CSV table of all heavy atoms in Angstrom, one decimal:
chain,number,residue,atom,x,y,z
J,5,VAL,N,68.9,6.5,-6.6
J,5,VAL,CA,68.1,5.4,-6.3
J,5,VAL,C,68.2,4.4,-7.6
J,5,VAL,O,68.2,3.3,-7.4
J,5,VAL,CB,66.7,5.7,-6.1
J,5,VAL,CG1,66.0,6.4,-7.3
J,5,VAL,CG2,65.8,4.5,-5.7
J,6,PHE,N,68.2,4.9,-8.8
J,6,PHE,CA,68.4,4.0,-10.0
J,6,PHE,C,69.7,3.4,-10.1
J,6,PHE,O,69.9,2.3,-10.5
J,6,PHE,CB,67.8,4.7,-11.3
J,6,PHE,CG,66.4,5.0,-11.4
J,6,PHE,CD1,65.9,5.7,-12.4
J,6,PHE,CD2,65.6,4.5,-10.4
J,6,PHE,CE1,64.5,5.8,-12.4
J,6,PHE,CE2,64.2,4.7,-10.4
J,6,PHE,CZ,63.7,5.4,-11.5
J,9,ILE,N,69.5,0.5,-7.9
J,9,ILE,CA,68.9,-0.7,-8.6
J,9,ILE,C,69.7,-1.4,-9.5
J,9,ILE,O,69.8,-2.6,-9.5
J,9,ILE,CB,67.5,-0.1,-9.2
J,9,ILE,CG1,66.6,0.3,-8.1
J,9,ILE,CG2,66.9,-1.2,-10.2
J,9,ILE,CD1,65.2,0.8,-8.7
J,14,ILE,N,69.2,-2.1,-4.0
J,14,ILE,CA,67.7,-2.0,-3.6
J,14,ILE,C,67.0,-2.9,-4.6
J,14,ILE,O,67.4,-2.9,-5.8
J,14,ILE,CB,67.2,-0.6,-3.4
J,14,ILE,CG1,67.1,0.1,-4.7
J,14,ILE,CG2,67.9,0.2,-2.3
J,14,ILE,CD1,66.5,1.5,-4.6
J,15,PRO,N,65.8,-3.5,-4.1
J,15,PRO,CA,65.2,-4.4,-5.0
J,15,PRO,C,64.4,-3.8,-6.1
J,15,PRO,O,63.8,-2.7,-5.9
J,15,PRO,CB,64.3,-5.3,-4.0
J,15,PRO,CG,64.1,-4.3,-2.8
J,15,PRO,CD,65.4,-3.5,-2.8
J,16,ALA,N,64.2,-4.4,-7.1
J,16,ALA,CA,63.2,-4.0,-8.2
J,16,ALA,C,62.7,-5.3,-9.0
J,16,ALA,O,63.4,-6.4,-8.9
J,16,ALA,CB,63.9,-3.1,-9.2
J,17,THR,N,61.5,-5.1,-9.6
J,17,THR,CA,61.0,-6.2,-10.3
J,17,THR,C,61.6,-6.0,-11.8
J,17,THR,O,61.1,-5.2,-12.5
J,17,THR,CB,59.5,-6.2,-10.4
J,17,THR,OG1,59.0,-6.3,-9.1
J,17,THR,CG2,58.9,-7.2,-11.2
J,28,PHE,N,62.7,-2.2,-15.5
J,28,PHE,CA,62.0,-2.8,-14.2
J,28,PHE,C,60.6,-2.2,-14.1
J,28,PHE,O,60.4,-1.0,-14.7
J,28,PHE,CB,63.0,-2.6,-13.1
J,28,PHE,CG,63.4,-1.2,-12.9
J,28,PHE,CD1,62.7,-0.3,-12.0
J,28,PHE,CD2,64.5,-0.8,-13.5
J,28,PHE,CE1,63.2,1.1,-11.8
J,28,PHE,CE2,65.0,0.5,-13.3
J,28,PHE,CZ,64.3,1.4,-12.5
J,29,ALA,N,59.8,-2.8,-13.3
J,29,ALA,CA,58.5,-2.2,-13.2
J,29,ALA,C,58.4,-0.9,-12.3
J,29,ALA,O,59.2,-0.9,-11.3
J,29,ALA,CB,57.6,-3.3,-12.4
J,30,ASP,N,57.7,0.0,-12.7
J,30,ASP,CA,57.6,1.2,-11.9
J,30,ASP,C,56.9,0.8,-10.5
J,30,ASP,O,56.0,0.2,-10.5
J,30,ASP,CB,56.7,2.3,-12.6
J,30,ASP,CG,56.9,3.7,-12.0
J,30,ASP,OD1,56.4,4.0,-10.9
J,30,ASP,OD2,57.4,4.5,-12.6
J,31,ILE,N,57.5,1.5,-9.5
J,31,ILE,CA,57.1,1.1,-8.1
J,31,ILE,C,55.6,1.7,-7.9
J,31,ILE,O,55.0,1.2,-6.9
J,31,ILE,CB,58.1,1.6,-7.0
J,31,ILE,CG1,57.8,0.9,-5.7
J,31,ILE,CG2,57.8,3.1,-6.8
J,31,ILE,CD1,59.0,1.2,-4.8
J,32,SER,N,55.2,2.6,-8.7
J,32,SER,CA,53.9,3.3,-8.5
J,32,SER,C,53.3,3.4,-9.8
J,32,SER,O,53.1,4.5,-10.4
J,32,SER,CB,54.0,4.6,-7.8
J,32,SER,OG,53.0,5.3,-7.5
J,33,PRO,N,52.7,2.3,-10.4
J,33,PRO,CA,52.3,2.2,-11.8
J,33,PRO,C,51.0,3.2,-11.8
J,33,PRO,O,50.1,3.3,-11.1
J,33,PRO,CB,51.9,0.8,-12.0
J,33,PRO,CG,51.8,0.2,-10.7
J,33,PRO,CD,52.7,1.0,-9.7
J,34,ARG,N,51.1,3.9,-13.0
J,34,ARG,CA,49.9,4.9,-13.3
J,34,ARG,C,49.2,4.3,-14.5
J,34,ARG,O,48.1,5.0,-14.9
J,34,ARG,CB,50.5,6.2,-13.6
J,34,ARG,CG,51.0,7.0,-12.2
J,34,ARG,CD,51.4,8.3,-12.5
J,34,ARG,NE,52.7,8.4,-13.1
J,34,ARG,CZ,53.9,8.2,-12.6
J,34,ARG,NH1,54.0,7.7,-11.4
J,34,ARG,NH2,54.9,8.3,-13.3
J,38,HIS,N,53.4,-0.2,-16.9
J,38,HIS,CA,54.2,0.9,-16.5
J,38,HIS,C,55.6,0.4,-16.2
J,38,HIS,O,55.8,-0.2,-15.0
J,38,HIS,CB,53.6,1.7,-15.4
J,38,HIS,CG,54.3,3.0,-15.1
J,38,HIS,ND1,53.7,4.1,-14.5
J,38,HIS,CD2,55.4,3.5,-15.7
J,38,HIS,CE1,54.5,5.1,-14.4
J,38,HIS,NE2,55.6,4.9,-15.2
J,40,LEU,N,59.9,1.1,-16.6
J,40,LEU,CA,61.0,2.1,-16.7
J,40,LEU,C,62.1,1.4,-17.4
J,40,LEU,O,62.5,0.2,-17.1
J,40,LEU,CB,61.4,2.6,-15.4
J,40,LEU,CG,60.3,3.3,-14.5
J,40,LEU,CD1,60.9,3.6,-13.1
J,40,LEU,CD2,59.7,4.4,-15.2
J,83,THR,N,58.0,7.7,-22.8
J,83,THR,CA,58.2,9.2,-22.4
J,83,THR,C,59.4,9.4,-21.6
J,83,THR,O,59.7,8.5,-20.7
J,83,THR,CB,56.9,9.7,-21.8
J,83,THR,OG1,56.5,8.8,-20.8
J,83,THR,CG2,55.8,9.8,-22.8
J,84,PHE,N,60.0,10.5,-21.7
J,84,PHE,CA,61.1,10.9,-20.9
J,84,PHE,C,60.9,12.3,-20.3
J,84,PHE,O,61.1,13.2,-20.9
J,84,PHE,CB,62.4,11.0,-21.8
J,84,PHE,CG,62.8,9.7,-22.4
J,84,PHE,CD1,62.2,9.2,-23.6
J,84,PHE,CD2,63.9,8.8,-21.8
J,84,PHE,CE1,62.6,8.0,-24.2
J,84,PHE,CE2,64.2,7.6,-22.4
J,84,PHE,CZ,63.6,7.2,-23.5
J,85,ASN,N,60.5,12.2,-19.1
J,85,ASN,CA,60.3,13.6,-18.4
J,85,ASN,C,61.7,14.1,-18.2
J,85,ASN,O,62.6,13.5,-17.7
J,85,ASN,CB,59.6,13.4,-17.0
J,85,ASN,CG,58.2,12.9,-17.1
J,85,ASN,OD1,57.5,13.0,-18.2
J,85,ASN,ND2,57.7,12.1,-16.3
J,86,THR,N,61.9,15.4,-18.6
J,86,THR,CA,63.2,16.0,-18.5
J,86,THR,C,63.1,17.3,-17.9
J,86,THR,O,62.6,18.3,-18.4
J,86,THR,CB,63.8,16.1,-20.0
J,86,THR,OG1,63.7,14.8,-20.6
J,86,THR,CG2,65.1,16.6,-20.1
J,87,GLY,N,63.6,17.4,-16.6
J,87,GLY,CA,63.6,18.5,-15.9
J,87,GLY,C,62.5,18.5,-14.8
J,87,GLY,O,61.4,18.0,-15.1
J,90,ALA,N,59.0,19.6,-15.8
J,90,ALA,CA,58.3,18.6,-16.6
J,90,ALA,C,57.9,17.3,-15.9
J,90,ALA,O,57.4,16.4,-16.4
J,90,ALA,CB,59.2,18.1,-17.8
J,91,GLY,N,58.1,17.2,-14.6
J,91,GLY,CA,57.7,16.3,-13.7
J,91,GLY,C,58.8,15.3,-13.5
J,91,GLY,O,58.5,14.2,-12.8
J,92,GLN,N,60.1,15.5,-13.9
J,92,GLN,CA,61.2,14.5,-13.5
J,92,GLN,C,61.4,14.6,-12.0
J,92,GLN,O,61.7,15.7,-11.4
J,92,GLN,CB,62.4,14.9,-14.3
J,92,GLN,CG,63.4,13.7,-14.1
J,92,GLN,CD,64.7,14.0,-15.0
J,92,GLN,OE1,64.8,15.1,-15.7
J,92,GLN,NE2,65.6,13.1,-15.0
J,93,THR,N,61.4,13.5,-11.4
J,93,THR,CA,61.7,13.4,-9.9
J,93,THR,C,62.9,12.6,-9.6
J,93,THR,O,63.5,12.7,-8.5
J,93,THR,CB,60.5,12.7,-9.2
J,93,THR,OG1,60.2,11.5,-9.7
J,93,THR,CG2,59.2,13.6,-9.4
J,94,VAL,N,63.3,11.7,-10.6
J,94,VAL,CA,64.5,10.9,-10.4
J,94,VAL,C,65.5,11.3,-11.5
J,94,VAL,O,65.2,11.2,-12.7
J,94,VAL,CB,64.2,9.3,-10.5
J,94,VAL,CG1,65.5,8.6,-10.5
J,94,VAL,CG2,63.3,9.0,-9.3
J,95,PHE,N,66.6,11.8,-11.0
J,95,PHE,CA,67.6,12.5,-12.0
J,95,PHE,C,68.7,11.5,-12.5
J,95,PHE,O,69.9,11.8,-12.5
J,95,PHE,CB,68.1,13.8,-11.4
J,95,PHE,CG,67.0,14.8,-11.3
J,95,PHE,CD1,66.1,14.8,-10.3
J,95,PHE,CD2,66.7,15.6,-12.4
J,95,PHE,CE1,65.0,15.7,-10.2
J,95,PHE,CE2,65.7,16.4,-12.4
J,95,PHE,CZ,64.7,16.5,-11.2
J,96,HIS,N,68.2,10.3,-13.0
J,96,HIS,CA,69.0,9.3,-13.6
J,96,HIS,C,68.0,9.0,-14.9
J,96,HIS,O,67.0,8.7,-14.6
J,96,HIS,CB,69.2,8.0,-12.8
J,96,HIS,CG,69.9,7.0,-13.4
J,96,HIS,ND1,71.0,6.3,-12.8
J,96,HIS,CD2,69.7,6.3,-14.6
J,96,HIS,CE1,71.4,5.3,-13.6
J,96,HIS,NE2,70.6,5.3,-14.7
J,98,HIS,N,65.6,8.0,-17.6
J,98,HIS,CA,64.7,6.9,-17.7
J,98,HIS,C,63.5,7.2,-18.7
J,98,HIS,O,63.0,8.3,-18.7
J,98,HIS,CB,64.2,6.5,-16.3
J,98,HIS,CG,63.5,7.7,-15.6
J,98,HIS,ND1,64.1,8.5,-14.9
J,98,HIS,CD2,62.1,7.9,-15.4
J,98,HIS,CE1,63.3,9.4,-14.4
J,98,HIS,NE2,62.1,9.1,-14.8
J,99,GLY,N,63.1,6.2,-19.4
J,99,GLY,CA,62.0,6.2,-20.2
J,99,GLY,C,60.7,5.5,-19.5
J,99,GLY,O,61.1,4.3,-19.0
J,100,HIS,N,59.7,6.0,-19.5
J,100,HIS,CA,58.5,5.3,-19.0
J,100,HIS,C,57.7,4.7,-20.3
J,100,HIS,O,57.4,5.4,-21.3
J,100,HIS,CB,57.5,6.3,-18.5
J,100,HIS,CG,57.8,7.1,-17.4
J,100,HIS,ND1,57.5,6.8,-16.0
J,100,HIS,CD2,58.7,8.1,-17.2
J,100,HIS,CE1,57.9,7.7,-15.2
J,100,HIS,NE2,58.7,8.5,-15.9
Z,1,5GP,P1,59.9,10.7,-13.2
Z,1,5GP,O1,58.7,11.4,-12.4
Z,1,5GP,O2,61.3,11.1,-12.7
Z,1,5GP,O3,59.8,10.8,-14.7
Z,1,5GP,O4,59.7,9.2,-12.9
Z,1,5GP,C1,60.2,8.6,-11.8
Z,1,5GP,C2,59.5,7.3,-11.7
Z,1,5GP,O5,60.3,6.3,-10.9
Z,1,5GP,C3,58.1,7.4,-11.0
Z,1,5GP,O6,57.1,6.8,-11.9
Z,1,5GP,C4,58.3,6.6,-9.7
Z,1,5GP,O7,57.2,5.9,-9.3
Z,1,5GP,C5,59.5,5.6,-10.0
Z,1,5GP,N1,60.2,5.2,-8.9
Z,1,5GP,C6,60.8,6.1,-7.9
Z,1,5GP,N2,61.6,5.4,-7.0
Z,1,5GP,C7,61.5,4.1,-7.5
Z,1,5GP,C8,62.0,2.9,-6.9
Z,1,5GP,O8,62.8,2.8,-5.9
Z,1,5GP,N3,61.7,1.8,-7.5
Z,1,5GP,C9,61.0,1.7,-8.7
Z,1,5GP,N4,60.7,0.6,-9.3
Z,1,5GP,N5,60.5,2.8,-9.2
Z,1,5GP,C10,60.7,4.0,-8.6
Side-chain angles (χ1 to χ4, degrees):
V5 65
F6 287 176
I9 287 175
I14 65 172
T17 301
F28 52 92
D30 195 290
I31 203 168
S32 180
R34 291 183 287 282
H38 193 165
L40 301 175
T83 50
F84 296 83
N85 297 331
T86 305
Q92 187 177 4
T93 59
V94 176
F95 292 87
H96 179 131
H98 56 279
H100 297 253

